[in-house]
Amino acid sequence: PLGRAQSLWLGGLTMAEARSAVHSIRLGSVHLDAVSTKAKLRGPQTAALDGGVIIVIPAPKYLLRQVQSRLRYMWNTTKHASWPLPIWGLMIITAAFLTKVIYSPSESWYRNNKLAQILWDLDMWWMHRLGLHNIIPAWVRISYLAFYTAFAVLFLLAFINRMMMRVLLRYQGWMVEKKTSVTTMAWGALMKFYFAFDKHPLTFTYQSAMPRLAVPPLKLTIQRYLQSIKPVLSEKEYNEYQAAAHLFEKQEAPRLQAMLVAKSLYATNYVSDWWEKYVYLRGRSPILINSNYYGLGFNSYIPTSSQVSRAGTLVYHYMRFKELLDAQQLPPMTIRGVVPICMRQYERIFQTTRIPGRDTDTNVHLDPGDSIHIAVLHRGGFWKVNVLCDNGRLVPAHVLEHRFRSIIELSADSNSHFRAPDPNSAEACLPALTGIDRTRWAEHREEFFGEGINKLSLDEIENAIIVLHLDDHSPKTWSETGSLSLHGNGTTRWCDKSFNLLVYANGQAAVHAEHSWADAPVIAHAWEWVLASEHNGNSYDASGHCTVKDTHQPPPGSPSRRKNKALSPQQKSKGLAFGDEEEVTRLEFVLSKEAKDAVLEAKKFTQKLCDDLQLLVVCQCVKDGGYGKGFIKKQKCSPDAWIQMALQLAWFRDQGKFSLTYEAAAVRLFNEGRTETIRSCTNDTRAFITLMQDKKASAKEKIAAMRKAAETHVSLSRESSVGRGVDRHLFCLYVSSLALGMNVKFLKDALSMPWQLSTSQIPQNQTQGMWKNIPEELYSPSGGFGPVSDEGYGVSYMMASDDMTFFHISCKHSCKATDAERFKKHLWQAHADMRALFE
């Protein structure tokens, strides 16, 4: 009756059958379908439809599932609140106390102490007010008063325990001691005592016990700032900055510092909300290359050459990881099994999108059960594919493989209504809009995608769990894969999504991630978990297709853990149906001439960005004559400090000068902590580089200078990891000055000095034992990012093993002073020269 325009539903796997199994979005009925789907997942919905208003109330079974979801959330919240006491312990103690109070004589202490009398008097007052004092029996009132008292006392004790743990977690002696002290041993024993209460903690169990990030002393920050800029400035420039810093310390700084201290007392983290808002979301420059980053898969191993099989398996395992997160069964990460680190960033891995705004963007995150589909991009066409049933059940990998194959076949059929758009057309280049200036993208989004079919289709992309790109390219090298994964030639990466899963035509896989919602180690952990699960799970048969199995058991607390209705053999064999009828939908956009012009203009802009990028992914390994952290550790030196010294030496030889160097340090020892900056170019680093360039200096002198520079770097790393760096404090002082309407030149100058060398070490093996005896070809080269400065380099690195270190080096072709190949040669030579000192 609503004029549904779609093909007949036939199912099957032949071309004709696959074509009929896929639906194209239309106004009217599909609008109703979209509202109905939301109602199933989120409760009653109201929407405008065909000039009227429609209210959709889901069936009782869907309402029941929503109630169950809320009850699960309440149950997990109670478990968090009672920690470190397990919930069963809470119930037993409460029941015992309740029994004791009820069966005690009226004159006993349990019924006649001061607290009991106060509670009884309060209850009597309420009963009289409500007129229930003669209706509710005394034993009932005694029971609920005893119950409330027991719960309140136990929760109070749990709160005190968490505060004590928060105090214990502020101890940092374990980070700096070369030999474990008695104090650290006693501290470790106390921490293990707390962990002993809960052998299987929930993902966010420790969040409420994480300490808050303290504001560093103002004088210390200014002192360290001045030390960090001294190696890169002339004496005259340094004296000017020093005078400005001391003037700032005396005049504006005390008021700004007081504001930060006040914020730190009530905010969970005095940095993180401002960091996300002002550094990321208010940035107006394109996020393609400039902010987003990528991660690669196995370094020289592709499990199957079938693109759709690899996509089916990877999507399936990502949904398993999501299932663990939703049920809070992903084990919280710890250091040495004793010190928990913040897991808050994991909440937004899935169904999160950055929405552009004219002045500031917004991160929109849907609740775990509010989305059951992914958006699939193939040859310029977008598709909606359900990867979960509406009861939360995971769609198996082999079924996903069939769905993805139908998309590829339909896109390739020139006679199909669902054929891929012309690669040069505006529709095929829609993702380019997410790679342009943020204000411009926001204006286009409002004008061309704010209503009708375009809004419906855009909503499906933005509300998807993730975006999957079935890419037609078959990259052969790490560098080619890295470049494509970072920018996709400017027209194939939906940059606003929390992350894009990329599967190439030859079976290679990678991820592309947006940066504002979380930092790289979070995406790296999830990606590593998925790759490990793929490798360990017997994922493919002899022909390279997904193995047919549906034996997955959801984790405890999962909404799909209850017994599911068995599928018929016909449903299992279809591939395009798994519990529901319509699972693959083509998303359509109707573009006006102005909209097409805007898209093609965006394509031209993003392709120019891509053409300007030079990216090189290389490996320093033993088998090629190099070395890894195994050799470095034998010299009793920090591997990270060693690599940073090599980078400094390579930079100086490449540019002939010293420059500010950025290295990211995680600050996840604190609640909602993100990153701090390690300023790697120090006075000791400069002294070491100077000696390395001096042919008359002896190896002994160079080694001594290198060790001193490395020790300084290690010390800076530790201080940054515990929130006593320079940059986040200065940044927050600057934001405070803006809030107070102050124009502080010192802070502007301090924060505008360019990072010409921006570096980051990516962690590896975060999956707690999922990898065992990893073959060399399974190590991931990790990922990289674009240069922070147009006149510098971006370098990320990962020490994959004792014998292998991967480097990702990026710069701009438009800068005549930089060249990734040249920098790599300098870096290799720096490694060789440093090794020669110890030989």
Side-chain angles (χ1 to χ4, degrees):
L2 291 172
R4 186 182 198 114
Q6 64 178 41
S7 306
L8 295 174
W9 178 268
L10 298 175
L13 295 176
T14 65
M15 176 62 70
E17 292 172 326
R19 184 184 305 117
S20 66
V22 182
H23 299 266
S24 180
I25 272 199
R26 290 284 186 269
L27 286 173
S29 63
V30 177
H31 192 166
L32 178 59
D33 288 346
V35 177
S36 299
T37 300
K38 288 182 180 179
K40 289 180 182 179
L41 301 174
R42 308 175 200 175
Q45 299 285 317
T46 302
L49 179 64
D50 293 338
V53 176
I54 184 169
I55 300 175
V56 179
I57 300 176
K61 66 176 183 178
Y62 297 112
L63 290 173
L64 178 61
R65 288 171 189 167
Q66 292 161 24
V67 170
Q68 290 172 336
S69 176
R70 300 297 184 271
L71 290 174
R72 279 191 298 272
Y73 176 80
M74 292 172 62
W75 174 256
N76 287 336
T77 301
T78 304
K79 290 181 72 175
H80 294 160
S82 68
W83 188 87
L85 187 67
I87 197 73
W88 56 264
L90 181 70
M91 292 178 175
I92 291 173
I93 294 173
T94 302
F97 181 77
L98 183 61
T99 303
K100 181 66 177 177
V101 171
I102 291 174
Y103 288 99
S104 293
S106 59
E107 67 274 7
S108 69
W109 180 86
Y110 291 98
R111 305 264 292 267
N112 267 316
N113 62 72
K114 288 185 178 180
L115 177 61
Q117 192 60 49
I118 292 171
L119 292 173
W120 182 260
D121 290 343
L122 285 172
D123 185 67
M124 284 293 291
W125 182 80
W126 273 110
M127 290 298 103
H128 279 285
R129 295 271 296 185
L130 298 173
L132 301 174
H133 58 287
N134 292 324
I135 299 175
I136 301 178
W139 69 269
V140 173
R141 292 158 64 187
I142 292 171
S143 298
Y144 66 66
L145 286 173
F147 179 82
Y148 292 156
T149 302
F151 251 74
V153 170
L154 288 172
F155 277 119
L156 178 61
L157 291 174
F159 175 78
I160 293 172
N161 273 321
R162 289 198 300 276
M163 294 304 101
M164 290 175 62
M165 185 177 180
R166 185 176 289 185
V167 171
L168 287 172
L169 287 172
R170 286 195 172 277
Y171 175 72
Q172 295 157 4
W174 60 276
M175 296 183 66
V176 299
E177 292 175 349
K178 293 183 178 179
K179 185 178 181 181
T180 306
S181 66
V182 175
T183 303
T184 299
M185 291 174 65
W187 170 82
L190 282 172
M191 291 300 301
K192 289 181 179 179
F193 170 76
Y194 276 100
F195 281 99
F197 282 102
D198 198 348
K199 298 294 184 183
H200 302 287
L202 299 178
T203 304
F204 304 111
T205 288
Y206 305 131
Q207 284 301 128
S208 59
M210 300 292 295
R212 292 184 178 182
L213 182 64
V215 181
L218 183 63
K219 188 171 185 177
L220 180 64
T221 296
I222 292 177
Q223 178 186 340
R224 287 179 172 168
Y225 169 73
L226 291 173
Q227 288 175 347
S228 72
I229 62 174
K230 192 170 185 178
V232 303
L233 298 177
S234 67
E235 185 176 353
K236 180 182 177 182
E237 290 171 330
Y238 176 77
N239 289 336
E240 291 174 355
Y241 270 94
Q242 187 179 45
H246 291 323
L247 188 63
F248 166 72
E249 185 179 359
K250 292 177 181 178
Q251 295 182 351
E252 303 99 337
R255 186 181 176 190
L256 301 178
Q257 179 78 351
M259 183 175 177
L260 289 188
V261 172
K263 183 187 178 186
S264 71
L265 296 177
Y266 70 83
T268 308
N269 189 296
Y270 84 93
V271 176
S272 294
D273 57 339
W274 285 354
W275 186 251
E276 179 175 320
K277 180 177 180 179
Y278 293 104
V279 171
Y280 291 112
L281 299 181
R282 283 210 172 180
R284 300 292 84 196
S285 59
I287 60 177
L288 179 69
I289 298 177
N290 297 323
S291 177
N292 289 16
Y293 57 94
Y294 67 91
L296 303 182
F298 302 123
N299 76 79
S300 57
Y301 171 69
I302 302 177
T304 176
S305 59
S306 170
Q307 182 182 28
V308 293
S309 301
R310 188 88 197 276
T313 295
L314 294 177
V315 169
Y316 172 71
H317 286 302
Y318 261 123
M319 294 309 104
R320 285 185 58 217
F321 189 83
K322 177 183 183 298
E323 192 176 47
L324 285 175
L325 274 180
D326 294 348
Q328 294 197 35
Q329 294 300 310
L330 183 72
M333 297 185 70
T334 61
I335 299 174
R336 303 180 187 176
V338 174
V339 183
I341 64 175
C342 181
M343 299 290 289
R344 189 63 69 195
Q345 295 179 52
Y346 285 74
E347 290 180 329
R348 297 192 290 180
I349 292 179
F350 301 102
Q351 60 267 348
T352 298
T353 300
R354 176 172 174 167
I355 304 298
R358 290 176 181 266
D359 299 315
T360 184
D361 295 353
T362 306
N363 274 325
V364 175
H365 172 71
L366 300 182
D367 289 337
D370 285 357
S371 182
I372 61 173
H373 74 277
I374 64 171
V376 180
L377 174 62
H378 177 64
R379 294 181 61 186
F382 273 102
W383 304 72
K384 171 188 172 183
V385 178
N386 283 3
V387 294
L388 303 172
C389 297
D390 53 24
N391 65 354
R393 179 176 179 170
L394 272 62
V395 177
H398 68 279
V399 177
L400 293 174
E401 175 188 351
H402 290 314
R403 292 180 183 171
F404 298 150
R405 179 174 290 110
S406 72
I407 290 173
I408 289 181
E409 291 175 347
L410 288 164
S411 298
D413 184 3
S414 59
N415 296 319
S416 169
H417 171 69
F418 308 106
R419 63 185 178 274
D422 185 303
N424 294 316
S425 68
E427 185 181 351
C429 302
L430 281 176
L433 291 170
T434 67
I436 62 175
D437 173 89
R438 301 304 294 174
T439 299
R440 191 68 174 149
W441 166 213
E443 292 169 348
H444 291 332
R445 186 176 182 275
E446 291 174 13
E447 183 177 0
F448 305 125
F449 302 91
E451 60 184 9
I453 189 76
N454 290 349
K455 184 180 188 304
L456 288 174
S457 295
L458 182 61
D459 283 348
E460 297 293 1
I461 296 172
E462 293 179 340
N463 293 336
I465 298 173
I466 62 171
V467 170
L468 165 68
H469 184 205
L470 299 174
D471 198 308
D472 272 352
H473 293 89
S474 295
K476 299 294 190 298
T477 66
W478 298 330
S479 298
E480 185 183 0
T481 308
S483 295
L484 282 172
S485 301
L486 180 59
H487 57 63
N489 293 325
T491 59
T492 57
R493 303 290 174 258
W494 197 263
C495 301
D496 293 348
K497 203 63 187 168
S498 55
F499 76 96
N500 293 218
L501 173 61
L502 318 172
V503 182
Y504 295 98
N506 59 356
Q508 187 65 268
V511 290
H512 171 101
E514 200 275 321
H515 208 328
S516 66
W517 63 273
D519 299 307
V522 176
I523 266 298
H525 180 195
W527 184 222
E528 183 181 313
W529 192 96
V530 167
L531 292 175
S533 299
E534 176 190 34
H535 179 256
N536 297 336
N538 188 27
S539 300
Y540 307 102
D541 58 25
S543 61
H545 296 295
C546 296
T547 51
V548 179
K549 53 185 177 181
D550 186 21
T551 58
H552 170 62
Q553 291 298 318
S558 170
S560 58
R561 191 166 176 81
R562 64 181 181 82
K563 186 176 180 180
N564 290 290
K565 180 180 177 181
L567 297 177
S568 67
Q570 291 79 11
Q571 284 179 313
K572 288 183 177 181
S573 65
K574 265 187 177 181
L576 292 174
F578 190 75
D580 291 319
E581 188 183 34
E582 299 168 15
E583 301 295 351
V584 180
T585 305
R586 173 66 184 273
L587 305 181
E588 291 188 0
F589 294 88
V590 178
L591 303 179
S592 64
K593 181 182 183 302
E594 293 78 10
K596 291 179 180 179
D597 290 343
V599 173
L600 294 177
E601 180 187 359
K603 173 188 175 184
K604 184 178 179 181
F605 176 85
T606 56
Q607 287 186 334
K608 185 177 179 181
L609 284 180
C610 300
D611 291 342
D612 195 28
L613 177 73
Q614 183 185 14
L615 179 68
L616 190 64
V617 183
V618 289
C619 181
Q620 169 89 199
C621 57
V622 170
K623 70 177 183 180
D624 293 331
Y627 59 95
K629 64 182 178 182
F631 171 81
I632 299 171
K633 287 186 290 186
K634 288 180 181 178
Q635 316 313 318
K636 298 182 180 180
C637 181
S638 159
D640 182 67
W642 182 291
I643 289 179
Q644 284 292 325
M645 296 307 106
L647 287 168
Q648 290 295 315
L649 183 55
W651 168 264
F652 184 82
R653 289 172 174 175
D654 190 79
Q655 298 293 313
K657 63 179 181 178
F658 295 97
S659 298
L660 283 183
T661 302
Y662 178 107
E663 182 187 0
V667 194
R668 289 172 61 192
L669 291 173
F670 301 92
N671 205 353
E672 296 189 10
R674 292 199 58 168
T675 61
E676 178 56 276
T677 303
I678 306 170
R679 293 182 166 229
S680 301
C681 185
T682 65
N683 291 319
D684 292 329
T685 303
R686 178 167 183 151
F688 164 64
I689 302 302
T690 302
L691 277 176
M692 287 295 291
Q693 295 298 99
D694 185 356
K695 295 181 180 180
K696 297 180 180 179
S698 66
K700 186 176 180 180
E701 291 175 314
K702 294 176 180 178
I703 290 173
M706 193 198 79
R707 291 200 183 280
K708 186 178 180 182
E711 288 173 5
T712 300
H713 182 82
V714 170
S715 177
L716 288 175
S717 300
R718 288 170 178 161
E719 291 297 305
S720 297
S721 296
V722 297
R724 290 197 292 267
V726 169
D727 292 270
R728 301 304 178 268
H729 190 192
L730 291 179
F731 163 75
C732 289
L733 289 170
Y734 177 67
V735 175
S736 299
S737 73
L738 295 179
L740 296 174
M742 300 167 64
N743 185 15
V744 185
K745 185 177 184 301
F746 166 74
L747 291 175
K748 285 183 179 180
D749 293 342
L751 294 172
S752 61
M753 295 182 73
W755 300 103
Q756 290 190 291
L757 181 58
S758 182
T759 70
S760 180
Q761 180 190 173
I762 307 299
Q764 190 239 2
N765 199 14
Q766 300 183 78
T767 47
Q768 300 185 10
M770 289 183 70
W771 292 107
K772 293 181 180 178
N773 302 319
I774 315 175
E776 195 172 89
E777 66 271 13
L778 293 187
Y779 285 116
S780 169
S782 189
F785 51 89
V788 174
S789 168
D790 289 344
E791 298 177 349
Y793 294 102
V795 182
S796 68
Y797 54 94
M798 187 187 74
M799 292 170 270
S801 70
D802 283 350
D803 298 332
M804 299 173 68
T805 303
F806 292 96
F807 291 88
H808 302 245
I809 305 168
S810 64
C811 62
K812 298 288 183 71
H813 285 297
S814 57
C815 177
K816 304 303 180 184
T818 58
D819 182 273
E821 287 282 357
R822 187 183 70 218
F823 187 84
K824 176 245 179 181
K825 292 178 182 178
H826 286 309
L827 182 59
W828 262 222
Q829 189 60 51
H831 273 89
D833 292 347
M834 291 170 66
R835 176 169 61 177
L837 296 177
F838 295 88
E839 293 179 337

